[in-house]
C-alpha cells in the first residue's frame, strides 16, 4: 500500500485505449467493497465509457473538468442522501479507493470535484449532472473519477516534500514549524 501511495499522482492525459474488461470488473468490485458508515452503503456509481456522454460530463463546470473529454472511462460517484447523514464521507472513501485500485492496475486517474462547484451562474455542476442523467433529487453527486491508460508519466512526491510538520504527537502544537 505504501508503494502505491508513493507512486500515485493525478493523471489528466490518457491514451484512447479503453479500460480492459477485467480491469473494469476489478474497479467495480473495489467500489462495492468500499466501507461506509453503519454499512449503509448510500453510494452508487455510474460507469461511463460512451465518448458522447463523457464529452457532456466534461462540461459540468468551467474549470477542472475539460480533461475528462479524453478519458476512456468516467465514474460518477453519487449517493442517496436519505440513506445516511455522512454520504459525503462515504462517497469520498469510495472515490479514493477507486483511484488507488486504478493505480494498482497501472491505470491513471484524476478526481473531478462536483459537489459545491458551479456549472454556470444559474446551475451547479451537481444539478447539471442530475439533469443529464435524470437522477432523482435525493441522489447527490460528489465527484467524477476519470480513469484510463496514462498518456503521461508523473513521479510520486519525494519524501522530502512531505509536510511532516503537520504530524503531531499526543497533542496539537500550533505553529509547529
Amino acid at each position: 500500500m505504501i508503494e502505491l501511495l508513493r507512486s500515485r499522482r493525478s493523471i489528466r492525459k490518457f491514451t484512447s485505449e479503453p479500460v480492459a474488461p477485467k480491469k473494469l470488473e476489478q474497479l467495480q468490485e473495489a467500489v462495492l467493497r468500499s466501507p461506509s458508515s453503519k454499512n449503509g452503503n448510500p453510494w452508487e456509481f455510474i460507469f461511463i465509457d460512451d465518448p458522447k456522454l463523457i464529452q457532456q460530463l466534461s462540461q459540468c463546470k468551467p474549470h477542472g473538468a475539460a480533461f475528462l473529454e479524453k478519458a476512456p472511462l468516467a465514474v460518477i460517484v453519487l449517493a442517496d442522501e436519505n440513506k445516511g447523514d455522512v454520504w459525503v464521507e462515504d462517497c469520498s472513501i469510495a472515490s479514493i479507493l477507486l483511484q488507488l485500485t486504478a493505480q494498482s492496475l497501472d491505470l491513471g486517474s484524476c478526481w473531478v470535484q462536483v459537489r459545491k462547484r458551479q456549472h454556470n451562474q444559474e446551475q451547479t455542476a451537481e444539478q447539471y449532472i442530475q439533469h443529464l442523467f435524470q437522477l432523482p433529487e435525493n441522489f447527490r453527486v460528489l465527484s467524477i473519477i476519470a480513469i484510463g491508460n496514462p498518456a503521461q508519466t508523473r513521479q510520486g512526491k519525494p519524501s522530502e516534500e512531505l509536510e511532516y510538520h503537520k504530524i503531531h504527537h499526543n497533542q496539537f502544537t500550533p505553529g509547529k514549524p
Side-chain angles (χ1 to χ4, degrees), residues 138-155:
N138 56 304
F139 277 83
R140 305 292 306 279
V141 180
L142 176 79
S143 64
I144 305 165
I145 307 299
I147 300 173
N149 292 288
Q152 69 180 133
T153 303
R154 295 189 70 201
Q155 298 299 312

Side-chain angles (χ1 to χ4, degrees), residues 69-159:
E69 188 171 10
K70 302 289 186 189
L73 178 65
V75 181
I76 300 173
V77 181
L78 64 152
D80 181 344
E81 71 177 341
N82 295 333
K83 289 189 176 180
D85 62 340
V86 292
W87 69 269
V88 172
E89 292 84 350
D90 290 343
C91 285
S92 295
I93 293 166
S95 294
I96 195 62
L97 283 179
L98 182 58
Q99 286 193 275
L100 289 172
T101 302
Q103 179 76 18
S104 76
L105 298 171
D106 296 321
L107 297 169
S109 71
C110 189
W111 178 309
V112 176
Q113 180 66 25
V114 173
R115 184 176 168 269
K116 295 197 173 197
R117 298 296 183 263
Q118 286 297 122
H119 168 65
N120 59 29
Q121 295 272 341
E122 296 82 39
Q123 189 179 47
T124 66
E126 181 179 38
Q127 289 167 332
Y128 173 85
I129 293 168
Q130 287 169 327
H131 177 74
L132 184 62
F133 288 90
Q134 301 177 345
L135 302 174
E137 72 177 49
N138 56 304
F139 277 83
R140 305 292 306 279
V141 180
L142 176 79
S143 64
I144 305 165
I145 307 299
I147 300 173
N149 292 288
Q152 69 180 133
T153 303
R154 295 189 70 201
Q155 298 299 312
K157 285 188 179 182
S159 228

